[in-house]
Amino acid sequence: MESSRVKRRRLLMVPCPYQGHINPMLHLATFLHQNGFSITIAHTFFNSPHPYRHPEFTFLPLNDSITADHVSSWDLASVLLAINENCKGSLEEAMAAMAGGDGEESSEVVCIIHDELMYYCEGVASRFGVRSLVLRTTSAATCVSRCAVLNLHAAGFEEEIPAELHPLRLKDLPLPATSDFTKFHELVINMYTITTAKAVIWNTMPWLEPSELNQIKAKFCQIPIFPIAPIHKISPTSSSSSLLKEDSTCLSWLDKQPPKSVIYVSLGSVALLTKEEVEEMGWGLVNSNQPFLWVVRPGSVRGSDAIELVLKEVEEKVGDRGCIVQWAPQKEVLGHGGVGGFWSHCGWNSTLESLSEGVPLLCRAFSGDQRVNARYISCVWGVGLTLEGELDRKEVEKVIRRVMVEEEGRKMKERAMDFKRRIEDSLKEDRSSSCDLKDR
Ligand code: UDX
């Protein structure tokens, strides 16, 4: 009798456990699942995705040994190095079990797709003779500038910034958050040195960063690159990969606002603020006279005890003109007709989500790649203004009005709408490049 067991093509996908990395990986997983693959998501306990939201995937927890001390230190480089160190054995055991098992779960893993920061997967793929692909979740300009930072550091920061980084300034470069350059160096070298992966999937568009992608291909990436951004648009899904609960009441609040009148304010999943910064933001928003939707993430304010009072005062003053939530369904918010501007920290996902909906940005970068993205938004693509230096409510008020009501804001909006159209067109045309992925 013929065996009923059919070997299905299973992909093992390994996100980096931060929101800005989980989202693009799970969107890619949805796309690949819709194209006939079985998907296993191998994840850490730390910042674990919610399996019940994705019944179509199998979830495989890995023993990360991340301690509360690691997490509370906010030393991202140390956490990432520890995950690469600690998860390898656990993933190898799981691979061995999958290869030897004989149930549905044993279906053969044909490829590992891992986040660029989860480079330990390369060794696991090689050991089991499985192909691997890397998913890059930050911009090509970030890759170029991180590598430049290593060279500048080696030269004691005494050299000029290389001309190909134009218009980035020294202060825009993605320098490490702590003074510990050794950890940053180790991460950058490991994430960009590819010796075994078959190809790179990049959450960018070839026409958005053509010279940066060409530099990368010419200098250090000899394997095929598939730029398939914006990943969140290639496979629309209703299931959310948010770690925090989204407050959808803000959508009905948005329904009541005039078209394009609302400034949406959200600083992503890792930025930290001081109480003073929150006060200046809040009163600047109030005084701008624009309707606003403001996300104040739990734990995002250092010493956040006093913050409740500030938010309460702002809410009382502004009444129905403002809406404050802890976490929003951001993609829906940006696609809502009531939103006319996005005050963002310029994480790469937020940047692509804003461009995809034709929403101009007010850029307030905090760390790492955000400064690079902010500079591109304002000086290369012309779709945003940058708010730098110490936050001051008068300046906040002024800059909000520049984006939302003044002529320069209108021009930025037009350019942002051009990006939206171009993205829509390329999504229609570029199906072929993403289809190629299926054959890799
Ligand atoms: C981190 C880094 O900070 C960022 O610079 C890097 O590019 C990716 O990793 P994060 O700060 O969280 O990411 O920013 P971002 O890349 O913008 O990702 C945040 C994600 O959370 C977005 O997909 C956004 O839609 C989502 N989000 C944010 C919500 O769903 N609701 C919110 O209220 C805020």
Side-chain angles (χ1 to χ4, degrees), residues 22-37:
I22 292 171
N23 287 3
M25 185 63 86
L26 291 195
H27 278 294
L28 181 62
T30 301
F31 170 75
L32 292 168
H33 182 262
Q34 288 170 356
N35 281 277
F37 290 96

Side-chain angles (χ1 to χ4, degrees), residues 21 23 266 269-270 327-328 330 345 347-350 353 369-370:
H21 296 258
N23 287 3
S266 176
S269 65
V270 283
W327 194 250
Q330 177 162 305
H345 69 309
W348 188 234
N349 294 286
S350 295
E353 289 161 14
D369 66 323
Q370 298 158 17

